[in-house]
Amino acid sequence: MSTRLATRFKACAAQGRAALVTFVTAGDPDYDTSLALLKALPGAGSDIIELGVPFTDPMADGPAIQAAGLRALHAGQTLAKTIAMVHAFRESDADTPIVLMGYYNPVYIYGVDRFLADAKAAGVDGLVVVDLPPEEDNELCLPALKAGLDFIRLATPTTDDRRLPKVLANTAGFVYYVSITGITGAATPDADVVGQAVARIKRHTSLPVAVGFGVRTPEQAAAIAAGADGVVVGSALVDALRASLDADSHATPATVPAVTELVGALAQAVRGAARVAAE
């Protein structure tokens, strides 16, 4: 079965380039601004959107994304509103893949079956749930796959060849390679080391491999794009949004453009790196 994620990665590969995957937090700094940004991302150059589900204890996230989640929660964002945001996005965009990224607690509280049905109906394509290891696949991964949602697994620098098959067993959509050890936005990845890690993962799977955690600049994105199927940028976009807010952390007319301009520069870099590699 062809999915939006598979179609998009295939299209990018046909163009000889990596996909640009952009992360923003749903509801940051408020629902309306967040939806406007979501709708603007594809036109700015985003190939795939990761939409962060705000949570009070985001243990894998660094200070920037933690702060974004708190802004969203203070503004009243919920998992139900995040699903509603995807539904509103789909009214004008039927092609751009959307992946919800977050933690299991909000899904558990919402109810797994209800969540999967509502997410699928809204137009969600996949899930990244960072605190559910393969040993807990019965909780959400297997039901998600049955419901027609890709379950995207994280692989890290400490995921060795013995552990990797377990991680990949029920992974779908793509493999998310965490390029550094630690939290999001905490360090800068080494493109050569990342390229070797991606090649190792691809010996175990035919799925695309997207690389994230620590990619902040167009130059870094271009370097990573040379050896990966996708480049994920999150903290840098969240930082750009935060810098555009007023003293009370409210949106300004500069908020959406602050993010889309950076996305445009990242997209240009990723596409430029692919052309150089293809020559």
Side-chain angles (χ1 to χ4, degrees), residues 225-257:
D229 301 302
V231 180
V232 187
V233 183
S235 294
L237 302 181
V238 173
D239 280 340
L241 184 150
R242 179 192 53 77
S244 76
L245 304 178
D246 67 18
D248 297 317
S249 294
H250 294 152
T252 69
T255 297
V256 172

Side-chain angles (χ1 to χ4, degrees), residues 37 252-263:
L37 174 57
T252 69
T255 297
V256 172
V259 180
T260 56
E261 286 170 15
L262 179 52
V263 170

